[in-house]
mmCIF file of all heavy atoms in Angstrom:
data_model
loop_
_atom_site.group_PDB
_atom_site.id
_atom_site.type_symbol
_atom_site.label_atom_id
_atom_site.label_comp_id
_atom_site.label_asym_id
_atom_site.label_seq_id
_atom_site.Cartn_x
_atom_site.Cartn_y
_atom_site.Cartn_z
ATOM 1 N N TYR Q 32 283.608 40.535 -2.350
ATOM 2 C CA TYR Q 32 282.521 40.911 -1.438
ATOM 3 C C TYR Q 32 282.017 39.674 -0.707
ATOM 4 O O TYR Q 32 281.669 38.672 -1.320
ATOM 5 C CB TYR Q 32 281.379 41.568 -2.217
ATOM 6 C CG TYR Q 32 280.207 41.968 -1.363
ATOM 7 C CD1 TYR Q 32 280.305 43.028 -0.476
ATOM 8 C CD2 TYR Q 32 279.004 41.281 -1.442
ATOM 9 C CE1 TYR Q 32 279.229 43.407 0.312
ATOM 10 C CE2 TYR Q 32 277.925 41.651 -0.654
ATOM 11 C CZ TYR Q 32 278.047 42.711 0.216
ATOM 12 O OH TYR Q 32 276.990 43.083 0.994
ATOM 13 N N LEU Q 33 281.989 39.727 0.635
ATOM 14 C CA LEU Q 33 281.598 38.572 1.441
ATOM 15 C C LEU Q 33 280.153 38.639 1.947
ATOM 16 O O LEU Q 33 279.663 37.684 2.548
ATOM 17 C CB LEU Q 33 282.543 38.426 2.646
ATOM 18 C CG LEU Q 33 284.018 38.220 2.294
ATOM 19 C CD1 LEU Q 33 284.860 38.189 3.559
ATOM 20 C CD2 LEU Q 33 284.215 36.967 1.483
ATOM 21 N N GLY Q 34 279.476 39.747 1.710
ATOM 22 C CA GLY Q 34 278.102 39.906 2.202
ATOM 23 C C GLY Q 34 277.088 39.194 1.332
ATOM 24 O O GLY Q 34 277.426 38.534 0.341
ATOM 25 N N LEU Q 35 275.815 39.328 1.713
ATOM 26 C CA LEU Q 35 274.733 38.731 0.940
ATOM 27 C C LEU Q 35 274.567 39.475 -0.373
ATOM 28 O O LEU Q 35 274.560 40.702 -0.397
ATOM 29 C CB LEU Q 35 273.417 38.783 1.724
ATOM 30 C CG LEU Q 35 273.342 37.937 2.973
ATOM 31 C CD1 LEU Q 35 272.013 38.179 3.694
ATOM 32 C CD2 LEU Q 35 273.489 36.464 2.640
ATOM 33 N N THR Q 38 269.062 42.238 -2.898
ATOM 34 C CA THR Q 38 268.594 43.607 -2.700
ATOM 35 C C THR Q 38 268.071 43.760 -1.276
ATOM 36 O O THR Q 38 267.648 42.793 -0.646
ATOM 37 C CB THR Q 38 267.477 43.969 -3.700
ATOM 38 O OG1 THR Q 38 266.405 43.043 -3.534
ATOM 39 C CG2 THR Q 38 267.988 43.920 -5.127
ATOM 40 N N ASP Q 46 260.720 47.044 8.558
ATOM 41 C CA ASP Q 46 260.094 47.459 9.813
ATOM 42 C C ASP Q 46 259.391 46.290 10.500
ATOM 43 O O ASP Q 46 259.454 46.168 11.728
ATOM 44 C CB ASP Q 46 259.113 48.599 9.576
ATOM 45 C CG ASP Q 46 259.815 49.921 9.315
ATOM 46 O OD1 ASP Q 46 261.055 49.988 9.454
ATOM 47 O OD2 ASP Q 46 259.117 50.889 8.976
ATOM 48 N N PHE Q 52 261.728 41.468 15.971
ATOM 49 C CA PHE Q 52 262.961 41.298 16.737
ATOM 50 C C PHE Q 52 262.896 42.033 18.070
ATOM 51 O O PHE Q 52 263.190 41.461 19.119
ATOM 52 C CB PHE Q 52 264.158 41.792 15.916
ATOM 53 C CG PHE Q 52 265.438 41.790 16.689
ATOM 54 C CD1 PHE Q 52 266.168 40.627 16.856
ATOM 55 C CD2 PHE Q 52 265.906 42.955 17.285
ATOM 56 C CE1 PHE Q 52 267.348 40.614 17.589
ATOM 57 C CE2 PHE Q 52 267.084 42.954 18.018
ATOM 58 C CZ PHE Q 52 267.803 41.781 18.166
ATOM 59 N N ALA Q 55 260.524 40.325 20.485
ATOM 60 C CA ALA Q 55 261.093 39.081 21.009
ATOM 61 C C ALA Q 55 262.175 39.361 22.048
ATOM 62 O O ALA Q 55 262.209 38.717 23.111
ATOM 63 C CB ALA Q 55 261.658 38.237 19.869
ATOM 64 N N VAL Q 56 263.038 40.342 21.777
ATOM 65 C CA VAL Q 56 264.094 40.685 22.731
ATOM 66 C C VAL Q 56 263.490 41.214 24.019
ATOM 67 O O VAL Q 56 263.899 40.828 25.122
ATOM 68 C CB VAL Q 56 265.086 41.706 22.126
ATOM 69 C CG1 VAL Q 56 266.008 42.273 23.190
ATOM 70 C CG2 VAL Q 56 265.898 41.070 21.011
ATOM 71 N N GLU Q 58 260.560 40.613 25.268
ATOM 72 C CA GLU Q 58 259.887 39.551 26.013
ATOM 73 C C GLU Q 58 260.893 38.711 26.789
ATOM 74 O O GLU Q 58 260.654 38.326 27.926
ATOM 75 C CB GLU Q 58 259.087 38.664 25.064
ATOM 76 C CG GLU Q 58 257.823 39.317 24.551
ATOM 77 C CD GLU Q 58 257.097 38.487 23.516
ATOM 78 O OE1 GLU Q 58 257.550 37.368 23.188
ATOM 79 O OE2 GLU Q 58 256.064 38.962 23.019
ATOM 80 N N PRO Q 61 263.661 41.959 29.190
ATOM 81 C CA PRO Q 61 262.928 43.230 29.253
ATOM 82 C C PRO Q 61 263.764 44.456 29.611
ATOM 83 O O PRO Q 61 263.378 45.566 29.279
ATOM 84 C CB PRO Q 61 261.844 42.976 30.307
ATOM 85 C CG PRO Q 61 262.265 41.760 31.032
ATOM 86 C CD PRO Q 61 263.157 40.975 30.129
ATOM 87 N N ASN Q 62 264.890 44.296 30.248
ATOM 88 C CA ASN Q 62 265.727 45.438 30.609
ATOM 89 C C ASN Q 62 266.935 45.609 29.699
ATOM 90 O O ASN Q 62 267.848 46.368 30.005
ATOM 91 C CB ASN Q 62 266.184 45.312 32.068
ATOM 92 C CG ASN Q 62 265.005 45.368 33.017
ATOM 93 O OD1 ASN Q 62 264.123 46.197 32.856
ATOM 94 N ND2 ASN Q 62 264.973 44.471 33.971
ATOM 95 N N ALA Q 71 271.821 51.877 7.367
ATOM 96 C CA ALA Q 71 271.964 53.035 6.482
ATOM 97 C C ALA Q 71 271.422 54.253 7.220
ATOM 98 O O ALA Q 71 270.507 54.139 8.034
ATOM 99 C CB ALA Q 71 271.191 52.804 5.191
ATOM 100 N N GLY Q 72 271.983 55.427 6.954
ATOM 101 C CA GLY Q 72 271.651 56.637 7.696
ATOM 102 C C GLY Q 72 270.174 56.920 7.842
ATOM 103 O O GLY Q 72 269.697 57.186 8.944
ATOM 104 N N ILE Q 76 268.130 56.620 11.523
ATOM 105 C CA ILE Q 76 267.402 57.738 12.126
ATOM 106 C C ILE Q 76 265.939 57.377 12.328
ATOM 107 O O ILE Q 76 265.353 57.627 13.380
ATOM 108 C CB ILE Q 76 267.554 59.012 11.266
ATOM 109 C CG1 ILE Q 76 269.011 59.481 11.324
ATOM 110 C CG2 ILE Q 76 266.592 60.104 11.712
ATOM 111 C CD1 ILE Q 76 269.376 60.503 10.284
ATOM 112 N N ILE Q 93 275.437 56.841 14.938
ATOM 113 C CA ILE Q 93 274.821 58.172 14.974
ATOM 114 C C ILE Q 93 275.085 58.855 16.314
ATOM 115 O O ILE Q 93 275.428 60.029 16.376
ATOM 116 C CB ILE Q 93 273.295 58.070 14.737
ATOM 117 C CG1 ILE Q 93 273.050 57.605 13.301
ATOM 118 C CG2 ILE Q 93 272.599 59.381 15.024
ATOM 119 C CD1 ILE Q 93 271.609 57.344 13.005
#
Side-chain angles (χ1 to χ4, degrees):
Y32 179 71
L33 300 176
L35 293 176
T38 58
D46 286 353
F52 174 81
V56 169
E58 286 175 1
N62 296 316
I76 292 166
I93 293 174

